[in-house]
Amino acid sequence: MVFKFRKLDQIFDKKLIISFFCIPLVNPQKLGRAQELDLTKKVMAFNKRIKIKSLLESDFVGQEVTLMGWVRTKRSNKNVSFVALNDGSTINNYQVVADPTIIEEDILKKITTGTCIKITGQIVASQGAGQSSEISASFIEILGEADPEKYPLQPKKHSLEFLREIAHLRMRTNTFGAVFRVRHTLAYAVHKYFNDRGFFYIHTPIITASDAEGAGETFKVTTLDLKNPPLNEDGSINYKKDFFEREANLTVSGQLEGELAAMALAEIYTFGPTFRAENSNTTRHLAEFWMIEPEMAFYDAEDNQDLAEDFLQYVIRYALEHCQDDLAFLDKRAAEEEQSKKADQRSELGLMERLRFVTENKFERLTYTEAIDILRNSNPNKKKKFQYLIEEWGADLQSEHERFLVEKHFKKPVILTNYPKEIKSFYMRLNEDGKTVAAMDILFPGIGEIVGGSQREERLENLTARMEEMNIPQDEMWWYLDTRRFGATPHAGFGLGFERLVQFVTGMGNIRDVIAFPRTPGSAEF
Ligand code: 4AD
Ligand code: MG
């Protein structure tokens, strides 16, 4: 036996052996994989609970179950206490009924807003309005107390600004619970969309030595001693002595590496964090945001637009189908917020109406040149209401112009194409006019630019000429240029700012409220 055990020990790790010996005690067929693994630690599974979401989806009346979650509210009278419990699986709370003749007073006293509890009891049909069933507690365990004198979340309306200061707790509110469930669903839909169409997910590097967008807004990555860096003879910092033996930074975009992958796997996408040190304190900018960047060989500019439109409509439709409770809540929340705005600043459609509208209507496609004509002749331009007046072709569009086109003029998402080459990145394909490039920006109501992309310049001479004009060092980009030297083909891609998408779908006004722990100028708490 000892010998056998040693042998087993060599073949399996100890956990497996313990679970092996547990099999006769508990029927593992009845347990999920997670519980089976749990046996290795405790023999009896702790996490044998039902999620409130499952409880609300089917009929459990008459069954004994265990719930775990955080107390939202408790109200008591002489005969009974009612506890609203939330376990994060859904926006809906579940009612726990605690009879003081069954649950000790000491336990009941500790149940306050924020406390984490475990309840075992029977599911019974509910007498009260608002729920069809409830749990009649036969046993309650306090998993974690929350001192009501100190716990900052109380059952009342807190401002979003206040909640930003306690971002470590704000996910326990209805609003943020809903936002992060929707965010998850959208992320899942992104992967599903591309996977279902045969695109491959590529993980592009987070530390790079290039500035893909050429905007010079990178965060430096270094291990040099900032107080005493090694210097060159001319007094500049000697990065040859740095970790990577060169200057390095956090990526602003995975596109360039994405293009390399597309030249082999044909259709790829990235979905990762990107970093921009732009000092923009707006409701649409983060210093760390997540971007989805599909890149496709054998696509031209129009194929790229078709894909972007179909993709956006798909993920929004997916959220509409799979986040009904959360979106219904956010719809009501957004409607209340609209009421506090001046009448002329209110949006004409509610949140759900906006989402449906975008999924059901084709986006308006027009060129930059056409947009400039519309803007030049627009009322706010003539009446000098724009902060930046549109005077001539070539002007960069500001968010006030983008929003005018989308919200006032077309009243639907807009795909703007063929921008002047001077205001776009070096890698965009030069059009036949020699003045414009095959760029596209997608503009959304309430958001402005949500997508930026282009057909790429696959012709080596054009690309190197453009790099020269824009002072982009070619020797450092030899690997990028190689794709134009060997087996080049027309290709295109775009980048979707994930937080801007989440903002649009949840109706949240500030981008800081759709990412768990926002990084913005002057702020990197949590
Ligand atoms: O337009 P951008 O700068 O394009 C690129 O980075 C390209 N390399 C994409 C590509 O073609 N593969 O950024 C793309 C999108 C914007 O449209 C916007 O939605 C989002 O990224 N974005 C930001 N989101 C939050 N905070 C910021 N500071 C952002 N900057 C861009
Ligand atoms: Mg852009």
Side-chain angles (χ1 to χ4, degrees):
M1 184 62 200
V2 171
F3 172 74
K4 264 193 188 159
F5 191 81
R6 277 223 183 103
K7 272 234 139 155
L8 273 174
D9 206 355
Q10 282 159 7
I11 301 166
F12 304 110
D13 71 7
K14 288 209 182 71
K15 281 184 189 167
L16 277 171
I17 293 173
I18 297 167
S19 67
F20 175 73
F21 284 109
C22 286
I23 288 171
L25 301 176
V26 190
N27 181 356
Q29 242 105 55
K30 285 202 169 165
L31 300 173
R33 177 81 186 134
Q35 282 91 343
E36 193 186 324
L37 287 174
D38 235 309
L39 288 177
T40 64
K41 284 182 256 144
K42 288 197 184 119
V43 181
M44 265 310 290
F46 170 67
N47 189 11
K48 245 181 98 187
R49 66 170 178 127
I50 291 225
K51 291 189 185 180
I52 291 174
K53 186 171 195 291
S54 320
L55 202 53
L56 295 172
E57 278 168 0
S58 39
D59 184 9
F60 279 82
V61 171
Q63 293 192 41
E64 181 164 285
V65 303
T66 295
L67 305 182
M68 294 186 223
W70 293 268
V71 173
R72 285 296 176 79
T73 56
K74 182 182 78 173
R75 58 194 169 85
S76 306
N77 59 36
K78 258 200 316 267
N79 306 322
V80 68
S81 288
F82 296 103
V83 177
L85 188 80
N86 191 281
D87 70 357
S89 62
T90 157
I91 192 146
N92 300 303
N93 297 333
Y94 199 72
Q95 178 152 291
V96 180
V97 183
D99 179 338
T101 61
I102 301 172
I103 308 295
E104 304 97 87
E105 200 191 325
D106 188 38
I107 297 279
L108 283 177
K109 250 205 255 155
K110 287 183 182 157
I111 298 180
T112 55
T113 297
T115 307
C116 191
I117 58 175
K118 173 178 178 178
I119 310 108
T120 302
Q122 203 174 47
I123 301 298
V124 295
S126 181
Q127 313 292 314
Q131 69 270 329
S132 63
S133 69
E134 59 197 24
I135 183 165
S136 168
S138 44
F139 182 77
I140 297 183
E141 186 185 340
I142 306 287
L143 298 176
E145 292 178 40
D147 183 347
E149 298 293 318
K150 295 188 184 137
Y151 186 59
L153 285 175
Q154 291 306 319
K156 61 166 196 170
K157 205 172 158 60
H158 294 293
S159 76
L160 294 174
E161 289 77 13
F162 169 71
L163 292 172
R164 244 169 258 152
E165 288 167 16
I166 51 163
H168 59 304
L169 295 172
R170 68 178 177 169
M171 282 184 242
R172 297 189 193 182
T173 63
N174 281 335
T175 298
F176 287 92
V179 165
F180 290 108
R181 278 185 297 269
V182 173
R183 183 177 166 118
H184 159 81
T185 305
L186 285 168
Y188 180 75
V190 166
H191 287 297
K192 181 164 166 52
Y193 179 85
F194 288 121
N195 182 64
D196 288 354
R197 285 155 187 79
F199 283 60
F200 300 105
Y201 180 26
I202 296 290
H203 299 93
T204 50
I206 291 182
I207 300 174
T208 70
S210 64
D211 174 5
E213 294 307 300
E217 292 162 335
T218 57
F219 287 100
K220 303 281 171 265
V221 176
T222 178
T223 54
L224 292 180
D225 177 1
L226 293 182
K227 286 197 205 108
N228 185 24
L231 300 177
N232 294 312
E233 276 175 10
D234 64 0
S236 59
I237 294 175
N238 182 359
Y239 285 102
K240 288 242 160 48
K241 298 255 168 78
D242 203 349
F243 189 92
F244 298 107
E245 298 181 8
R246 62 190 303 164
E247 273 192 84
N249 54 268
L250 295 179
T251 185
V252 296
S253 158
Q255 178 196 320
L256 302 189
E257 291 89 353
E259 282 186 59
L260 311 182
M263 290 300 110
L265 300 163
E267 290 174 328
I268 65 95
Y269 69 105
T270 74
F271 188 168
T274 49
F275 308 86
R276 296 198 184 174
E278 46 191 339
N279 202 359
S280 310
N281 254 309
T282 77
T283 56
R284 315 268 174 258
H285 288 88
L286 290 166
E288 176 179 301
F289 64 99
W290 288 68
M291 187 152 51
I292 295 128
E293 295 184 274
E295 192 68 37
M296 300 75 62
F298 323 122
Y299 272 53
D300 68 9
E302 206 179 319
D303 298 324
N304 201 28
Q305 291 157 33
D306 292 344
L307 181 78
E309 180 169 344
D310 185 58
F311 165 62
L312 282 167
Q313 289 184 325
Y314 174 90
V315 292
I316 296 169
R317 213 179 294 125
Y318 194 90
L320 275 169
E321 262 172 46
H322 294 87
C323 301
Q324 289 175 12
D325 290 352
D326 287 322
L327 287 177
F329 171 84
L330 290 166
D331 183 54
K332 249 172 70 192
R333 195 202 148 272
E336 279 164 24
E337 206 172 81
E338 284 293 296
Q339 289 310 311
S340 64
K341 291 186 187 163
K342 286 192 203 136
D344 66 329
Q345 279 166 17
R346 288 186 202 148
S347 66
E348 287 167 30
L349 302 178
L351 175 63
M352 296 286 246
E353 289 168 323
R354 277 202 300 276
L355 299 183
R356 280 201 206 93
F357 184 84
V358 166
T359 60
E360 286 162 11
N361 290 284
K362 292 220 68 69
F363 298 0
E364 188 72 33
R365 298 185 189 192
L366 74 157
T367 64
Y368 166 90
T369 305
E370 288 164 335
I372 285 289
D373 279 343
I374 293 170
L375 289 167
R376 207 190 279 139
N377 296 317
S378 70
N379 266 334
N381 203 52
K382 286 191 196 146
K383 293 190 177 153
K384 304 204 186 313
K385 288 266 166 66
F386 282 145
Q387 197 188 339
Y388 297 89
L389 295 180
I390 297 288
E391 270 147 19
E392 56 195 46
W393 192 92
D396 203 353
L397 300 185
Q398 306 296 326
S399 88
E400 57 181 345
H401 309 126
E402 296 174 345
R403 295 183 70 163
F404 173 83
L405 290 170
V406 172
E407 287 157 30
K408 298 279 186 298
H409 191 83
F410 291 110
K411 297 183 193 286
K412 57 157 114 160
V414 166
I415 308 184
L416 267 187
T417 59
N418 302 321
Y419 284 71
K421 63 178 178 184
E422 284 77 16
I423 58 172
K424 287 290 178 188
S425 300
F426 74 95
Y427 50 71
M428 298 191 177
R429 194 177 197 279
L430 191 66
N431 288 326
E432 273 173 19
D433 59 16
K435 291 189 334 197
T436 61
V437 286
M440 73 158 169
D441 273 8
I442 303 187
L443 315 177
F444 259 35
I447 302 291
E449 180 191 334
I450 196 165
V451 160
S454 71
Q455 184 172 343
R456 315 307 186 190
E457 183 56 84
E458 83 282 10
R459 298 160 297 187
L460 184 64
E461 322 76 70
N462 286 16
L463 185 60
T464 51
R466 199 72 199 114
M467 287 171 85
E468 210 151 290
E469 280 168 24
M470 296 175 82
N471 281 327
I472 295 167
Q474 289 174 40
D475 48 344
E476 282 174 25
M477 302 278 282
W478 61 274
W479 44 273
Y480 185 69
L481 293 171
D482 260 7
T483 56
R484 276 62 174 177
R485 291 190 183 108
F486 309 121
T489 177
H491 64 289
F494 62 84
L496 166 69
F498 188 54
E499 283 74 20
R500 294 197 186 169
L501 172 71
V502 181
Q503 257 192 295
F504 180 72
V505 174
T506 58
M508 298 301 283
N510 194 317
I511 199 163
R512 292 157 211 228
D513 297 330
V514 298
I515 185 162
F517 305 109
R519 269 74 180 107
T520 51
S523 165
E525 190 73 57
F526 311 106

